[in-house]
Amino acid sequence: MRVMPLPLGFVFRSRAKEEKAPGADQAAVDLSKQPRDPQAPKGRPTPKRSEARSQRRSVATTPTNRKEAAKRQREERRVTMERQRQALASGDERYLPARDKGPVRRFARDFIDSRFNIAEFFLPMAVVILVLSMVRVGALQSIALLLWLIVIVLIVLDSIVTGVRLKKRLAERFPDQNKRGAVAYALMRSLQMRRLRLPKPQVKRGERP
């Protein structure tokens, strides 16, 4: 009986298929065991759980229309204003308005709040002078006019002295920082009554800043 020889290609091909088959089957089983995110597009690897959560969160927080975006801006503005209001009362530097931020402005406020300023009594003195000037008595009207001139001169002189001293202290304390506008900022604060100042005073009178 004559035996037909097998082709060499058939032998090698069968052996190669047998060697590769277990690995391919195992890879297919491993891939089938991995959970697939239903939101992941086909043909791409499944994202990690943390990445999927962050993506869903960003999609959820993105405004879908102009009305919702405007509403969100109003809410953010309201939160910012509330934080600034609380910061003005507590002196929290993190949420203060830009004009009040920084160590230079903080020092200027403390310098004014630690001393008596004639300018802070301007409003009550102005009310007294106004009442005296309305009285139909020539002597009282003359006194009111004289008091008015005295108050103006005292406020100007006190402001000049305060500005010179503050400028000197700022140059000593902050030689390398921008001090532009700090003196004018402090003098404007000195015109306000102490309990009406914002941010609220953080030092007592007579306390060295």
Side-chain angles (χ1 to χ4, degrees):
M1 182 177 180
R2 186 178 179 182
V3 180
M4 295 297 293
L6 294 174
L8 294 178
F10 175 80
V11 175
F12 289 110
R13 183 170 60 252
S14 300
R15 185 173 298 177
K17 288 183 178 179
E18 291 176 358
E19 291 177 354
K20 292 181 179 179
D25 294 341
Q26 184 65 30
V29 171
D30 293 341
L31 289 175
S32 63
K33 289 182 179 180
Q34 293 183 358
R36 180 180 178 274
D37 191 343
Q39 296 181 357
K42 295 182 179 180
R44 296 183 182 179
T46 303
K48 296 181 180 179
R49 183 175 299 177
S50 60
E51 296 176 355
R53 287 180 178 176
S54 63
Q55 290 175 1
R56 288 195 295 268
R57 190 180 299 113
S58 62
V59 171
T61 56
T62 303
T64 57
N65 51 47
R66 184 177 299 178
K67 184 177 180 180
E68 184 178 350
K71 181 180 179 180
R72 183 163 300 176
Q73 288 179 358
R74 289 195 300 268
E75 181 64 21
E76 292 176 354
R77 192 180 304 112
R78 185 191 66 80
V79 172
T80 302
M81 294 298 294
E82 179 63 21
R83 285 179 176 177
Q84 288 185 358
R85 186 187 65 81
Q86 295 177 0
L88 289 173
S90 63
D92 190 349
E93 289 281 345
R94 295 175 299 172
Y95 303 114
L96 285 176
R99 66 181 179 84
D100 299 311
K101 281 186 176 181
V104 175
R105 296 299 174 98
R106 174 65 180 270
F107 182 84
R109 292 196 302 271
D110 292 344
F111 184 86
I112 294 297
D113 297 336
S114 64
R115 61 193 301 273
F116 284 95
N117 303 278
I118 298 177
E120 67 182 283
F121 302 106
F122 171 77
L123 185 58
M125 288 188 296
V127 172
V128 173
I129 294 172
L130 180 62
V131 171
L132 291 176
S133 63
M134 295 176 62
V135 178
R136 299 294 182 176
V137 178
L140 292 179
Q141 291 181 348
S142 299
I143 293 175
L145 180 60
L146 181 61
L147 288 175
W148 184 257
L149 294 176
I150 292 174
V151 167
I152 295 298
V153 172
L154 289 177
I155 289 176
V156 171
L157 292 177
D158 184 62
S159 297
I160 292 174
V161 174
T162 301
V164 171
R165 290 180 177 176
L166 176 59
K167 188 175 182 180
K168 182 179 179 181
R169 292 288 303 278
L170 288 174
E172 295 173 353
R173 182 70 66 90
F174 309 99
D176 299 327
Q177 296 192 29
N178 183 15
K179 299 175 284 294
R180 183 178 180 180
V183 175
Y185 170 79
L187 294 179
M188 290 298 296
R189 185 176 178 85
S190 68
L191 291 171
Q192 303 170 353
M193 298 179 67
R194 180 181 173 86
R195 60 183 177 181
L196 300 179
R197 293 171 183 171
L198 291 175
K200 293 292 185 181
Q202 302 296 315
V203 296
K204 298 180 180 179
R205 292 190 190 273
E207 184 178 351
R208 186 178 178 86

